[in-house]
Each structure stands twice: as structure tokens, then as C-alpha cells.
Amino acid sequence: MAIYPIREYGDPVLRMVTKPVDEIDDSIRRLVADMIETMYDAPGVGLAANQIGVGRRVAVFDAQDELEARVMINPRVIHTEGEFEMEEGCLSVPGYFWPITRPAYAVVEATDLEGDTVTYEGDGLMGRVLQHEFAHLDGGLLLDAMERRVRKKAMREIHRASLGL
Ligand code: ZN
């Protein structure tokens, strides 16, 4: 297993639309193991493959419930409901949390490491992490989900930090 450096905001790989996985082979199993290790090392509650520079539709998450890390391969959001504002951060924009409104409840269908179809659903952190990781796989970042006012403030903060001010 290996811990990968996490790509940060500004790296074009974070904006790429990742490619579906057709076959779960050793390289995918190794990728998932490395992603879980990288996520816990960060530490974070979710990680998408393109955050470590791999353009495949694979994400891992830990919704801080009784289950440990779970994997979603080729996920699809099949239902969302409600609206919920929560402080949200991202390992690719480290050190920041901003209020972001997304649907409160989400249902995602995905493939697990055995090749079986699994359904993940929930509200609170679970609903949030499912939507956040899914967005990464389509090149999305949390900035895209912000209200304009919050995004302007966030962009100012990020740019100020990158200038070292
Ligand atoms: Zn993220």
C-alpha cells in the first residue's frame, strides 16, 4: 500500500471527467487500498481517484458511522431530496471550510470491489460525502456548489493564501 500526495486546487487533473472502470482487477484493488490509506492519512472522510492523479471513476469514503471505509466504483446519483447547509471542506483545498447548500439526502448506486451493485444512501455527512465525491469524478469541486457570494470570498481566501499573504 502507498500514500499518495493529494492534488490541490489549480491542478488540471481535478477538472477532468474520469473514465469508467470496466473490470475490477488487481490494479483497481490496489488503487482502492492506496486511496483508503491516503484518505485516512490526510485525514479526510472521502477521496476521489483524480485527487491522487488517477482519472478513473473510483472514490472511497468513511461517513464516520459504524461502517469503515467504503468504495464506490462507477457511481451514479439516482435520487436526491431536500436542502441542507453544512460547512464543507475538501482535501484538495486544504484548511478551509465554507457553508455549502446541497440536497440533504442522496442515493447513489455504485459497484463495489466484488463487482456487485451497492446502494449508499443517507443524509447528514453521508449525504454530503456521497455528493461531494461524485462531483469530483466529473471534474467538480466544492467551489462549484457554492452560492456566488461564498464563492467570491472563498476564491479571495485561496488566492491570498497562494500568494503567501
Ligand atoms: Zn474533495
PDB file of all heavy atoms in Angstrom, residues 73-85:
ATOM      1  N   ILE A  73     -17.412   2.490  -7.139  1.00  0.00           N
ATOM      2  CA  ILE A  73     -16.840   2.416  -8.485  1.00  0.00           C
ATOM      3  C   ILE A  73     -17.979   2.715  -9.457  1.00  0.00           C
ATOM      4  O   ILE A  73     -19.093   2.195  -9.290  1.00  0.00           O
ATOM      5  CB  ILE A  73     -16.246   1.012  -8.731  1.00  0.00           C
ATOM      6  CG1 ILE A  73     -15.099   0.763  -7.731  1.00  0.00           C
ATOM      7  CG2 ILE A  73     -15.771   0.860 -10.175  1.00  0.00           C
ATOM      8  CD1 ILE A  73     -14.626  -0.678  -7.676  1.00  0.00           C
ATOM      9  N   ASN A  74     -17.718   3.556 -10.428  1.00  0.00           N
ATOM     10  CA  ASN A  74     -18.733   3.975 -11.416  1.00  0.00           C
ATOM     11  C   ASN A  74     -20.042   4.410 -10.742  1.00  0.00           C
ATOM     12  O   ASN A  74     -21.127   3.938 -11.116  1.00  0.00           O
ATOM     13  CB  ASN A  74     -19.039   2.839 -12.405  1.00  0.00           C
ATOM     14  CG  ASN A  74     -17.809   2.367 -13.158  1.00  0.00           C
ATOM     15  OD1 ASN A  74     -16.852   3.105 -13.306  1.00  0.00           O
ATOM     16  ND2 ASN A  74     -17.843   1.134 -13.628  1.00  0.00           N
ATOM     17  N   PRO A  75     -19.982   5.297  -9.764  1.00  0.00           N
ATOM     18  CA  PRO A  75     -21.213   5.673  -9.058  1.00  0.00           C
ATOM     19  C   PRO A  75     -22.157   6.512  -9.912  1.00  0.00           C
ATOM     20  O   PRO A  75     -21.722   7.199 -10.837  1.00  0.00           O
ATOM     21  CB  PRO A  75     -20.694   6.508  -7.878  1.00  0.00           C
ATOM     22  CG  PRO A  75     -19.408   7.075  -8.355  1.00  0.00           C
ATOM     23  CD  PRO A  75     -18.803   6.034  -9.265  1.00  0.00           C
ATOM     24  N   ARG A  76     -23.444   6.408  -9.591  1.00  0.00           N
ATOM     25  CA  ARG A  76     -24.483   7.241 -10.206  1.00  0.00           C
ATOM     26  C   ARG A  76     -25.369   7.753  -9.086  1.00  0.00           C
ATOM     27  O   ARG A  76     -25.808   6.966  -8.239  1.00  0.00           O
ATOM     28  CB  ARG A  76     -25.374   6.405 -11.143  1.00  0.00           C
ATOM     29  CG  ARG A  76     -24.622   5.597 -12.165  1.00  0.00           C
ATOM     30  CD  ARG A  76     -25.493   4.554 -12.848  1.00  0.00           C
ATOM     31  NE  ARG A  76     -25.859   3.417 -11.994  1.00  0.00           N
ATOM     32  CZ  ARG A  76     -25.021   2.445 -11.610  1.00  0.00           C
ATOM     33  NH1 ARG A  76     -23.760   2.451 -11.987  1.00  0.00           N
ATOM     34  NH2 ARG A  76     -25.441   1.458 -10.847  1.00  0.00           N
ATOM     35  N   VAL A  77     -25.617   9.036  -9.087  1.00  0.00           N
ATOM     36  CA  VAL A  77     -26.581   9.595  -8.131  1.00  0.00           C
ATOM     37  C   VAL A  77     -27.950   9.309  -8.710  1.00  0.00           C
ATOM     38  O   VAL A  77     -28.271   9.765  -9.809  1.00  0.00           O
ATOM     39  CB  VAL A  77     -26.379  11.111  -7.940  1.00  0.00           C
ATOM     40  CG1 VAL A  77     -27.464  11.674  -7.029  1.00  0.00           C
ATOM     41  CG2 VAL A  77     -25.002  11.400  -7.354  1.00  0.00           C
ATOM     42  N   ILE A  78     -28.758   8.512  -8.017  1.00  0.00           N
ATOM     43  CA  ILE A  78     -30.058   8.169  -8.596  1.00  0.00           C
ATOM     44  C   ILE A  78     -31.208   8.935  -7.958  1.00  0.00           C
ATOM     45  O   ILE A  78     -32.295   8.967  -8.513  1.00  0.00           O
ATOM     46  CB  ILE A  78     -30.322   6.644  -8.591  1.00  0.00           C
ATOM     47  CG1 ILE A  78     -30.228   6.064  -7.186  1.00  0.00           C
ATOM     48  CG2 ILE A  78     -29.353   5.919  -9.505  1.00  0.00           C
ATOM     49  CD1 ILE A  78     -30.678   4.608  -7.145  1.00  0.00           C
ATOM     50  N   HIS A  79     -30.956   9.578  -6.818  1.00  0.00           N
ATOM     51  CA  HIS A  79     -32.032  10.363  -6.204  1.00  0.00           C
ATOM     52  C   HIS A  79     -31.432  11.348  -5.206  1.00  0.00           C
ATOM     53  O   HIS A  79     -30.493  11.013  -4.499  1.00  0.00           O
ATOM     54  CB  HIS A  79     -33.008   9.419  -5.479  1.00  0.00           C
ATOM     55  CG  HIS A  79     -34.150  10.118  -4.847  1.00  0.00           C
ATOM     56  ND1 HIS A  79     -35.139  10.744  -5.577  1.00  0.00           N
ATOM     57  CD2 HIS A  79     -34.446  10.332  -3.544  1.00  0.00           C
ATOM     58  CE1 HIS A  79     -36.012  11.294  -4.743  1.00  0.00           C
ATOM     59  NE2 HIS A  79     -35.619  11.059  -3.504  1.00  0.00           N
ATOM     60  N   THR A  80     -31.992  12.548  -5.159  1.00  0.00           N
ATOM     61  CA  THR A  80     -31.638  13.491  -4.086  1.00  0.00           C
ATOM     62  C   THR A  80     -32.923  14.144  -3.615  1.00  0.00           C
ATOM     63  O   THR A  80     -33.917  14.173  -4.344  1.00  0.00           O
ATOM     64  CB  THR A  80     -30.664  14.598  -4.553  1.00  0.00           C
ATOM     65  OG1 THR A  80     -31.268  15.316  -5.631  1.00  0.00           O
ATOM     66  CG2 THR A  80     -29.330  14.055  -4.972  1.00  0.00           C
ATOM     67  N   GLU A  81     -32.864  14.658  -2.402  1.00  0.00           N
ATOM     68  CA  GLU A  81     -34.068  15.225  -1.812  1.00  0.00           C
ATOM     69  C   GLU A  81     -33.696  16.287  -0.788  1.00  0.00           C
ATOM     70  O   GLU A  81     -32.706  16.133  -0.069  1.00  0.00           O
ATOM     71  CB  GLU A  81     -34.807  14.098  -1.092  1.00  0.00           C
ATOM     72  CG  GLU A  81     -36.312  14.185  -1.139  1.00  0.00           C
ATOM     73  CD  GLU A  81     -36.926  12.926  -0.518  1.00  0.00           C
ATOM     74  OE1 GLU A  81     -36.839  11.857  -1.157  1.00  0.00           O
ATOM     75  OE2 GLU A  81     -37.441  13.047   0.603  1.00  0.00           O
ATOM     76  N   GLY A  82     -34.514  17.319  -0.708  1.00  0.00           N
ATOM     77  CA  GLY A  82     -34.358  18.327   0.336  1.00  0.00           C
ATOM     78  C   GLY A  82     -33.213  19.282   0.084  1.00  0.00           C
ATOM     79  O   GLY A  82     -32.650  19.322  -1.014  1.00  0.00           O
ATOM     80  N   GLU A  83     -32.858  20.007   1.104  1.00  0.00           N
ATOM     81  CA  GLU A  83     -31.815  21.010   1.012  1.00  0.00           C
ATOM     82  C   GLU A  83     -31.181  21.145   2.391  1.00  0.00           C
ATOM     83  O   GLU A  83     -31.894  21.100   3.392  1.00  0.00           O
ATOM     84  CB  GLU A  83     -32.450  22.333   0.600  1.00  0.00           C
ATOM     85  CG  GLU A  83     -31.525  23.233  -0.164  1.00  0.00           C
ATOM     86  CD  GLU A  83     -32.232  24.506  -0.596  1.00  0.00           C
ATOM     87  OE1 GLU A  83     -32.503  25.362   0.271  1.00  0.00           O
ATOM     88  OE2 GLU A  83     -32.524  24.625  -1.799  1.00  0.00           O
ATOM     89  N   PHE A  84     -29.872  21.298   2.430  1.00  0.00           N
ATOM     90  CA  PHE A  84     -29.183  21.282   3.714  1.00  0.00           C
ATOM     91  C   PHE A  84     -27.901  22.097   3.586  1.00  0.00           C
ATOM     92  O   PHE A  84     -27.128  21.881   2.656  1.00  0.00           O
ATOM     93  CB  PHE A  84     -28.873  19.820   4.066  1.00  0.00           C
ATOM     94  CG  PHE A  84     -28.112  19.598   5.339  1.00  0.00           C
ATOM     95  CD1 PHE A  84     -28.513  20.183   6.529  1.00  0.00           C
ATOM     96  CD2 PHE A  84     -26.992  18.766   5.352  1.00  0.00           C
ATOM     97  CE1 PHE A  84     -27.808  19.951   7.710  1.00  0.00           C
ATOM     98  CE2 PHE A  84     -26.278  18.523   6.525  1.00  0.00           C
ATOM     99  CZ  PHE A  84     -26.696  19.119   7.697  1.00  0.00           C
ATOM    100  N   GLU A  85     -27.699  23.033   4.513  1.00  0.00           N
ATOM    101  CA  GLU A  85     -26.453  23.805   4.506  1.00  0.00           C
ATOM    102  C   GLU A  85     -25.511  23.231   5.543  1.00  0.00           C
ATOM    103  O   GLU A  85     -25.912  22.938   6.667  1.00  0.00           O
ATOM    104  CB  GLU A  85     -26.713  25.280   4.808  1.00  0.00           C
ATOM    105  CG  GLU A  85     -25.427  26.095   4.691  1.00  0.00           C
ATOM    106  CD  GLU A  85     -25.577  27.528   5.185  1.00  0.00           C
ATOM    107  OE1 GLU A  85     -26.111  28.356   4.432  1.00  0.00           O
ATOM    108  OE2 GLU A  85     -25.167  27.804   6.336  1.00  0.00           O
TER     109      GLU A  85
END
